[in-house]
């Protein structure tokens, strides 16, 4: 299946003006940039507004339980490591219930791309503070005068600290840059994290398109920035407020989790014969 057929004709149910439209457009452009065979792509999503993207793209997909995107994506990749596997969902899905899976996926360097739709709010359930909601933000569930009293998760910093070998941040408002970042993440051999900033026009009146536009700092414009320098990546990854960096923070080459599995040396698990495998003794031991 050609990458030019990446979109389906179903009408998305997102709100008018939702940042997910920009992400969907970038997703389809990225597949075109990669010239990828869509029949060899598996998209795994969680639960939430962002995860609904799987319903609007023309590839194999699994919509799994809330917060369980990465375990399922890991299983798909290990069963058939020749597939391009993309995990995708919102920051509530990935940084809430899914945070433990996120950290272990990063430290294992699983060969996956993880696109996180980050609108800093639980949108599908109508506006609770999410793990990336800024401290002090007032929502219907975090009232004034204090607003949200919890410290926000910085996805870029967390990914770098956990050992991800590719870390980037894009914006739903800059579709061309976002498509390029998606393509680079997919090309990267290892765990590639892409934090995608997107406004929620219904439940987040603070982090709007204009708010992001006034703060965006392209890392490509930073003189001397070195994507292989993890210390520098951590320094710029800590910025959030007056300036919010966009682009590739860090990339490195190191062995993937699959590289350490001798079972995969003979080919994909799905292609290996099951004849002669007897698990009776193991089942008796576990009984």
């Amino acid at each position: 299946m050609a990458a030019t057929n990446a979109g389906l004709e179903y009408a998305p149910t997102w709100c008018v003006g939702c940042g997910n439209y920009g992400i969907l457009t970038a997703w389809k452009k990225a597949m075109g940039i990669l010239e990828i065979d869509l029949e060899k792509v598996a998209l795994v999503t969680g639960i939430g507004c962002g995860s609904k993207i799987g319903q609007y793209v023309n590839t194999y997909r699994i919509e799994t339980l809330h917060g369980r995107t990465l375990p399922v994506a890991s299983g798909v990749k290990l069963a058939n490591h020749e597939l391009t596997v993309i995990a995708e969902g919102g920051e509530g899905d990935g940084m809430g219930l899914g945070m433990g899976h996120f950290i272990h996926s990063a430290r294992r360097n699983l060969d996956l791309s993880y696109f996180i739709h980050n609108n800093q709010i639980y949108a599908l359930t109508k506006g609770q503070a999410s793990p990336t909601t800024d401290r002090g933000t007032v929502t219907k569930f975090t009232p004034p005068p204090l607003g949200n009293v919890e410290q926000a998760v910085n996805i870029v910093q967390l990914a770098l600290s956990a050992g991800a070998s590719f870390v980037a941040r894009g914006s739903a408002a800059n579709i061309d840059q976002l498509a390029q970042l998606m393509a680079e993440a997919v090309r990267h051999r290892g765990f590639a994290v892409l934090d995608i900033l997107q406004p929620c026009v219904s439940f987040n009146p603070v982090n709007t398109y204009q708010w992001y536009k006034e703060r965006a700092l392209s890392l490509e414009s930073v003189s001397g920035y070195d994507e292989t320098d993890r210390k520098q990546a951590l320094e710029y990854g800590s910025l959030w407020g007056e300036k919010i960096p966009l682009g590739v923070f860090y990339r490195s080459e190191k062995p993937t989790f699959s590289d350490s599995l001798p079972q995969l040396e003979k080919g994909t698990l799905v292609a290996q014969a099951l004849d002669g495998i007897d698990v009776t003794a193991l089942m008796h031991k576990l009984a």
Side-chain angles (χ1 to χ4, degrees):
M1 189 189 309
T4 51
N5 298 321
L8 294 175
E9 295 183 357
Y10 301 128
T13 57
W14 295 315
C15 302
V16 175
C18 175
N20 280 317
Y21 287 100
I23 297 173
L24 174 60
T25 301
W27 200 100
K28 291 185 282 189
K29 288 175 69 77
M31 296 304 113
I33 293 169
L34 292 164
E35 297 182 340
I36 201 166
D37 181 353
L38 294 171
E39 292 187 350
K40 295 183 178 178
V41 175
L43 175 63
V44 182
T45 65
I47 299 296
C49 292
S51 292
K52 294 176 72 174
I53 193 170
Q55 301 174 19
Y56 312 127
V57 297
N58 194 18
T59 189
Y60 292 109
R61 71 177 180 89
I62 300 175
E63 191 168 343
T64 185
L65 300 175
H66 190 40
R68 302 295 180 254
T69 310
L70 287 170
V72 176
S74 302
V76 172
K77 186 67 180 182
L78 294 177
N80 188 350
H81 60 281
E82 292 182 355
L83 290 176
T84 295
V85 180
I86 300 172
E88 192 157 2
E91 90 284 356
D93 187 79
M95 297 295 110
L97 281 172
M99 178 177 278
H101 303 306
F102 178 77
I103 292 171
H104 292 300
S105 298
R107 72 179 181 85
R108 290 170 182 151
N109 199 33
L110 286 151
D111 188 17
L112 306 171
S113 305
Y114 189 24
F115 301 162
I116 307 171
H117 300 214
N118 183 4
N119 60 10
Q120 300 177 257
I121 204 81
Y122 281 108
L124 191 66
T125 48
K126 304 191 183 307
Q128 301 96 330
S130 84
T132 62
T133 301
D134 291 325
R135 188 195 294 268
T137 299
V138 173
T139 74
K140 64 179 73 174
F141 302 95
T142 55
L146 296 178
N148 179 36
V149 297
E150 298 180 341
Q151 181 174 329
V153 172
N154 181 319
I155 294 175
V156 167
Q157 272 193 311
L158 182 64
L160 290 165
S161 300
S165 53
F166 179 98
V167 182
R169 180 189 286 137
S171 167
N174 190 337
I175 293 172
D176 287 340
Q177 183 198 40
L178 181 57
Q180 289 291 341
L181 292 173
M182 287 178 167
E184 288 189 58
V186 171
R187 288 189 180 117
H188 177 75
R189 192 170 184 276
F191 192 63
V193 177
L194 179 54
D195 178 21
I196 305 173
L197 305 178
Q198 62 151 135
C200 172
V201 295
S202 295
F203 298 107
N204 187 343
V206 177
N207 309 113
T208 62
Y209 288 102
Q210 185 63 30
W211 190 91
Y212 285 124
K213 181 179 179 181
E214 292 170 354
R215 291 161 175 78
L217 169 66
S218 173
L219 288 173
E220 291 184 353
S221 69
V222 177
S223 178
Y225 191 85
D226 181 359
E227 296 172 357
T228 67
D229 186 338
R230 187 168 175 273
K231 182 178 179 181
Q232 194 174 36
L234 283 165
E235 177 187 347
Y236 277 83
S238 70
L239 297 179
W240 184 270
E242 294 184 3
K243 296 294 181 185
I244 299 178
L246 301 176
V248 178
F249 287 79
Y250 181 68
R251 71 176 92 212
S252 66
E253 295 183 10
K254 59 182 182 180
T256 68
F257 188 68
S258 301
D259 292 339
S260 65
L261 300 177
Q263 299 93 329
L264 304 183
E265 292 176 356
K266 295 184 292 184
T268 63
L269 291 181
V270 294
Q272 293 183 33
L274 298 177
D275 300 341
I277 297 177
D278 187 352
V279 297
T280 304
L282 175 62
M283 297 307 292
H284 282 307
K285 186 176 181 179
L286 296 175

